[in-house]
Amino acid sequence: MRTGARWSSRLLLRLAPIASIASLLGLWAFAESRSLFLPSLGTVFSEAREMLGERDTYSELGASLQRLGIGIAVAVAAGWLLALAAQLNERLNRIVRIYMALLFGLPSLLVAFLSLVAFGISDTGVVAVVVIVVLPFVADPLLQALQTLDRHQLDMAKVFRVSRREVVRNVVLPHTAPYFFAALRNAHALGWKVLLVAEIFSVRSGLGYQFKNAFDFFRIGEALVWLVLLLAVIAILEYGVLGQIERRVFAWRTPRQ
Amino acid sequence: MTDPLIQLTDLSAGYAADRPVLTDFSIDVKRGELVCVVGPSGCGKSTLLSVLSGLRPPLSGAVTIDGEDVYGPGGDELPRLGYVFQEPRLLPWRRVGENISIALRAAGVPTAKHRGIVAEKLERLHIGDLSEAWPLQISGGQRQRVAIARALAIEPLYVLMDEPFSALDELTARALRAELLDVWQATGQTIVFVTHSIREAVYLADRIFIMTTNPGRLFNTIEVALPRPRSVEDTSLLELEASIVRSALAEWERAQGKPAPVPR
């Protein structure tokens, strides 16, 4: 009885992804039959095959990825600096917190507009939008990380006369790692959202621009292919890249045997 | 080779000169001696430990270790110290062996020697197979063994132990006490062991420094002349414990103006 139940639940777990994709496709087919504008599955598939064969598809994706990467890198670096500054000085801490609170609430659409005004049609403008919108979500966990350092561990390092460099390497950085990955996840998720908005406004390449184009010329099939591509890239970065790195970094959390 | 190894002279320590936590404190610890410091909460044991570890200058008095005035002019090179805390204080994200390596590196031991030293010390504490384990994978008793191995691995001038067994279950604590004595006798380390437990002190120590509170100071020094190896159940040990408890309790109650907590 019990093994039977376990066996069937395992089967369910296996089937779940397949079932979810199948039901999504079913839903699509149903919606398509009712809608004037939604292209059929077949149309989208052939569109996808064509687009995946073109080099331009990848260079557009690459352009977006590059902007996102630079934006996140700058935001993470700035986030570290802010967190360190806030940690070193009480006055700076207050100032940093005020600015962060303001940045947190800033609508990204507004940032995109202002950056278009400031930088014109350029990559710099798009990257700047990503940095400004993502920064508070990166700096905040890093700030928390530095404030929750374990006094006990630092004292231990002190009595064993561990050098400052080694303390950073063996105590501070590992402690901040979970916060850092939370920051990266924030940055990655939020980064895509604002990136696309900014690309619609300010540049003539990248996913956002392609979306806009496809919609402007009513090429819904193409827009859907871009959407699926975007989701695939997000999934690869989130589960493939970030997940794999995390698994290695947090191996020490392996449960007791 | 000067004798004694540790000398505290007219020590007064704390945060403010008008209200020292620890006052009028003079003791010496011989090379290779295992001494216990026993006292109620608030007797300044933690302050004593930080002064002894070279981390907090005393308000007055001198700390001399191996003939060097620790807080004197030119005393910026702190003596090499092994420390075992109440909690193991291992870095959970470093494997057991690496935890010890970090202390070795800080002590300036060349990297090529780490592997051998780590293996030897872990073996001595009967956890030779745990070098590659993560601290969260092993038991509390094993972690504290690693902490002891770490303290001894750097071949320190002296070892401070701050109630290292008080968070363990009694059986594990017993086993570790016996092993600590083995290791101590094998290495000839000088150990200052702080505890709440008079029984533990009587079992372990060559000499016991009984402290009292309000303000913290030395109340009595007791030579434990019992032969080794000692047994926890030995009647002479229990009698000594009882007599210390009698005299100490009376003093602690007097000092605190209320019944002292019953020592374990």
Side-chain angles (χ1 to χ4, degrees):
Chain A
M1 223 17 211
R2 197 171 249 194
T3 51
R6 206 178 296 157
W7 184 83
S8 61
S9 77
R10 206 176 300 159
L11 186 73
L12 260 179
L13 218 64
R14 277 279 165 75
L15 288 178
I18 302 169
S20 74
I21 291 173
S23 59
L24 195 70
L25 293 179
L27 212 66
W28 186 336
F30 175 73
E32 184 244 317
S33 68
R34 299 275 165 133
S35 156
L36 280 179
F37 307 115
L38 204 58
S40 74
L41 274 175
T43 323
V44 176
F45 272 121
S46 65
E47 183 97 45
R49 214 165 45 213
E50 197 180 313
M51 282 174 64
L52 287 178
E54 285 168 20
R55 216 194 230 155
D56 283 354
T57 308
Y58 302 101
S59 65
E60 294 296 315
L61 255 183
S64 285
L65 269 173
Q66 192 185 345
R67 291 174 192 136
L68 184 76
I70 296 174
I72 289 178
V74 173
V76 166
W80 270 116
L81 286 179
L82 285 183
L84 276 176
Q87 187 65 12
L88 291 176
N89 182 308
E90 185 47 41
R91 190 118 147 252
L92 279 176
N93 183 21
R94 276 205 301 275
I95 297 173
V96 166
R97 278 172 187 285
I98 292 172
Y99 275 98
M100 295 244 291
L102 292 178
L103 277 182
F104 263 123
L106 213 56
S108 35
L109 200 62
L110 206 72
V111 180
F113 265 128
L114 289 176
S115 138
L116 178 60
V117 173
F119 295 97
I121 296 198
S122 75
D123 268 15
T124 320
V126 176
V127 170
V129 176
V130 173
V131 172
I132 292 167
V133 173
V134 159
L135 179 59
F137 293 89
V138 173
D140 191 60
L142 294 179
L143 251 166
Q144 277 184 42
L146 293 185
Q147 277 170 357
T148 52
L149 279 172
D150 187 343
R151 268 248 70 84
H152 276 176
Q153 289 170 355
L154 295 173
D155 283 350
M156 181 279 291
K158 218 184 236 176
V159 298
F160 281 99
R161 328 294 192 216
V162 178
S163 70
R164 187 176 289 206
R165 226 189 89 198
E166 287 279 291
V167 169
V168 170
R169 204 166 76 87
N170 292 301
V171 183
V172 179
L173 286 182
H175 170 83
T176 54
Y179 299 85
F180 178 65
F181 278 98
L184 272 188
R185 273 172 202 282
N186 283 348
H188 177 233
L190 203 68
W192 276 116
K193 294 188 192 183
V194 293
L195 176 71
L196 290 192
V197 172
E199 281 180 341
I200 287 174
F201 284 113
S202 336
V203 279
R204 304 226 180 283
S205 65
L207 274 179
Y209 176 72
Q210 292 303 334
F211 268 118
K212 190 182 78 157
N213 252 350
F215 279 112
D216 283 353
F217 295 101
F218 219 69
R219 297 198 300 260
I220 308 298
E222 189 189 318
L224 285 172
V225 176
W226 284 119
L227 175 65
V228 172
L229 271 179
L230 171 62
L231 291 179
V233 171
I234 290 178
I236 289 169
L237 286 178
E238 179 81 26
Y239 296 102
V241 179
L242 269 180
Q244 285 303 316
I245 299 174
E246 274 182 313
R247 186 131 31 120
R248 287 200 52 164
V249 171
F250 298 123
W252 59 271
R253 286 175 173 169
T254 41
R256 201 170 147 185
Q257 279 126 15
Chain B
M1 286 289 239
T2 46
D3 232 28
L5 180 72
I6 302 174
Q7 226 175 343
L8 305 182
T9 323
D10 298 327
L11 197 72
S12 170
Y15 301 95
D18 53 333
R19 274 189 56 203
V21 181
L22 188 68
T23 184
D24 203 14
F25 196 82
S26 298
I27 59 169
D28 55 72
V29 180
K30 291 195 271 289
R31 204 175 288 274
E33 198 176 17
L34 198 175
V35 299
C36 282
V37 178
V38 182
S41 328
C43 70
K45 285 181 296 191
S46 325
T47 307
L48 174 64
L49 283 171
S50 26
V51 172
L52 268 175
S53 28
L55 299 182
R56 182 188 297 163
L59 297 166
S60 65
V63 179
T64 311
I65 289 171
D66 202 21
E68 300 271 341
D69 184 353
V70 175
Y71 296 100
D76 25 67
E77 181 85 358
L78 290 170
R80 189 185 289 191
L81 159 70
Y83 206 118
V84 183
F85 298 88
Q86 187 174 0
E87 327 77 27
R89 298 205 190 179
L90 304 178
L91 301 172
W93 38 73
R94 296 287 183 257
R95 292 176 194 273
V96 162
E98 179 63 17
N99 263 284
I100 297 175
S101 267
I102 289 168
L104 288 171
R105 215 175 302 138
V109 178
T111 315
K113 291 186 176 170
H114 288 194
R115 194 181 260 278
I117 295 174
V118 167
E120 190 227 312
K121 295 300 172 196
L122 290 179
E123 198 53 58
R124 176 157 271 167
L125 283 139
H126 310 292
I127 45 171
D129 51 340
L130 292 186
S131 175
E132 290 300 308
W134 297 107
L136 292 184
Q137 285 178 321
I138 64 180
S139 73
Q142 288 170 326
R143 272 179 237 159
Q144 201 58 309
R145 283 168 206 259
V146 176
I148 294 172
R150 173 175 63 186
L152 297 172
I154 58 173
E155 300 198 339
L157 209 46
Y158 59 119
V159 180
L160 301 181
M161 298 195 169
D162 183 8
E163 302 183 41
F165 305 140
S166 64
L168 300 174
D169 65 87
E170 183 51 29
L171 280 181
T172 308
R174 269 193 190 199
L176 273 169
R177 276 180 212 121
E179 273 170 43
L180 173 65
L181 287 180
D182 287 347
V183 175
W184 167 65
Q185 280 170 329
T187 58
Q189 273 293 345
T190 309
I191 300 177
V192 177
F193 188 108
V194 168
T195 175
H196 274 301
S197 159
I198 293 174
R199 177 166 299 180
E200 184 173 47
V202 169
Y203 174 68
L204 291 176
D206 289 329
R207 277 188 304 156
I208 305 174
F209 300 118
I210 312 272
M211 297 181 67
T212 184
T213 173
N214 267 343
R217 67 205 142 78
L218 188 63
F219 164 61
N220 200 359
T221 304
I222 289 152
E223 295 266 351
V224 184
L226 302 171
R228 296 178 190 272
R230 296 170 188 165
S231 151
V232 194
E233 285 84 16
D234 188 15
T235 44
S236 50
L237 201 142
L238 295 175
E239 279 164 21
L240 180 58
E241 180 196 352
S243 80
I244 295 174
V245 169
R246 269 196 302 278
S247 73
L249 265 189
E251 162 59 22
W252 293 349
E253 283 179 27
R254 190 203 60 73
Q256 296 190 321
K258 59 178 186 217
V262 180
R264 275 168 291 164

